[in-house]
Amino acid sequence: MNISKIDLNLLVYLDVLLREKNVTRAANQLNITQPAMSNGLKRLRDLLNDPILVRTSDGMVPTERAKELAPVVRGILLTLEETLQPNKDFEPEHSHRVFRIMASDYAASTLIPALLKKLRAQAPGTSLDIMTPSDVTFHDVENGKVDMAINRFDQLPQSFHQKTIWRDSFACLVNSLNPILGNFNLDTYLKAQHIWVSKTGFGVGVGMDPADVQKLGWVDEALAKFGKQRSISVFTRNYHVAMHLAVETDLIATLPLRAALLYQNDVTMKVLDPPFPIPSIELKMIWSPLLHQDASHIWLRRLITEVADELHL
């Protein structure tokens, strides 16, 4: 194969086709027509002497050769993009950039207010577009459609860059009139009714099964190590809902300390240490390799790190 005769655009086509596994979606990604993408796929098949994508009952599936090529092609394109990227300094005071950040409501409540204050002081022309986990997929982050995702993650694609923002312990939030305050221990905790808050990731969630401890998260997994299980009255995917319910009822909300401390000056609420050990959690920021060398993105990452350091408990 004479490499001088290879159209480099075909590498771009191949990369997008293998990620989208759909000719129409791949064409939309590159803002070209569907016939143009189909022609590109035909040229790739001729060039590589391989079908690349094969239609099955599950849709278009990449061949083994295509699977081998996918990380190699992606690496080549990333290297080219980083090499050819203009090395311009970011001037925050003159910028009108929109930073799109996926943040769980935990991160949005505990980190984003301080970040926004810094942004308005140092880069008054910029703006934040805060998105929820259900708005975003790993695919969106990988493609650079979202500047950053801030959340707690069990598993991440190896291609992503990541940095721990902070570690957080847990606390119990209860109404100040709750009788449990007179004798708060593991036994009374287990006899009480509780609010469960999800460990949100990406995509739309599904209903919860109280009997499935493995899917209930950190608090219930910690209890299970002692052979214990709490009684959950409410399942919610939103920390603000959980905290508001704790204010209005006799239910207990066990949640990250930084979230509970949002109510530390509220006389109607009490923040307590859990009566059993719960492993701490990590709040991380993750981003695409496509944005790693971007000057404005580097500036934002440094600013977030600076804000997190200032919020140190």
Side-chain angles (χ1 to χ4, degrees), residues 8 18 25 99 159 170 194 247 252 300:
L8 288 180
L18 293 180
R25 288 201 301 269
F99 291 107
S159 61
F170 279 80
H194 296 266
V247 170
I252 300 174
L300 178 65

Side-chain angles (χ1 to χ4, degrees), residues 170-174 184 189 194-197 218-220 223 230 239 242 246 251-257 260 272-276 278:
F170 279 80
C172 295
L173 189 65
V174 300
F184 187 65
Y189 178 92
H194 296 266
I195 304 163
W196 176 92
V197 191
W218 307 281
V219 177
D220 299 277
L223 280 172
R230 59 178 175 165
Y239 279 98
L251 300 177
I252 300 174
T254 306
L255 64 171
L257 177 61
L272 307 171
D273 291 331
F276 59 98
I278 306 173

Side-chain angles (χ1 to χ4, degrees), residues 70-238:
V72 177
V73 171
R74 169 43 67 106
I76 291 171
L77 292 176
L78 287 176
T79 300
L80 274 173
E81 184 147 355
E82 290 180 3
T83 302
L84 299 176
Q85 186 82 7
N87 188 17
K88 294 181 179 179
D89 291 333
F90 178 63
E91 298 179 345
E93 65 275 13
H94 299 131
S95 175
H96 293 278
R97 194 189 193 290
V98 177
F99 291 107
R100 292 184 172 83
I101 299 177
M102 185 288 278
S104 63
D105 69 313
Y106 162 67
S109 300
T110 56
L111 175 70
I112 298 300
L115 174 62
L116 181 59
K117 186 176 180 180
K118 287 271 190 182
L119 276 174
R120 295 191 66 180
Q122 298 184 26
T126 62
S127 56
L128 281 180
D129 181 6
I130 306 298
M131 311 172 83
T132 69
S134 60
D135 294 329
V136 175
T137 66
F138 278 133
H139 194 57
D140 295 326
V141 177
E142 183 181 34
N143 288 339
K145 292 181 180 178
V146 178
D147 288 296
M148 189 177 297
I150 302 177
N151 206 340
R152 303 172 311 286
F153 304 100
D154 291 330
Q155 294 181 328
L156 289 171
Q158 292 184 352
S159 61
F160 284 9
H161 292 278
Q162 60 177 285
K163 181 178 176 63
T164 297
I165 296 175
W166 63 49
R167 298 185 69 87
D168 202 359
S169 56
F170 279 80
C172 295
L173 189 65
V174 300
N175 189 295
S176 59
L177 299 178
N178 193 321
I180 201 173
L181 291 174
N183 185 27
F184 187 65
N185 54 45
L186 182 57
D187 288 337
T188 55
Y189 178 92
L190 294 174
K191 290 176 182 177
Q193 296 294 308
H194 296 266
I195 304 163
W196 176 92
V197 191
S198 75
K199 50 177 183 180
T200 51
F202 281 87
V204 179
V206 296
M208 295 304 302
D209 180 0
D212 194 348
V213 173
Q214 294 300 316
K215 293 184 178 180
L216 291 180
W218 307 281
V219 177
D220 299 277
E221 289 174 5
L223 280 172
K225 292 180 180 178
F226 297 96
K228 306 294 184 181
Q229 188 172 354
R230 59 178 175 165
S231 178
I232 300 171
S233 293
V234 180
F235 292 88
T236 179
R237 279 75 179 161
N238 188 291

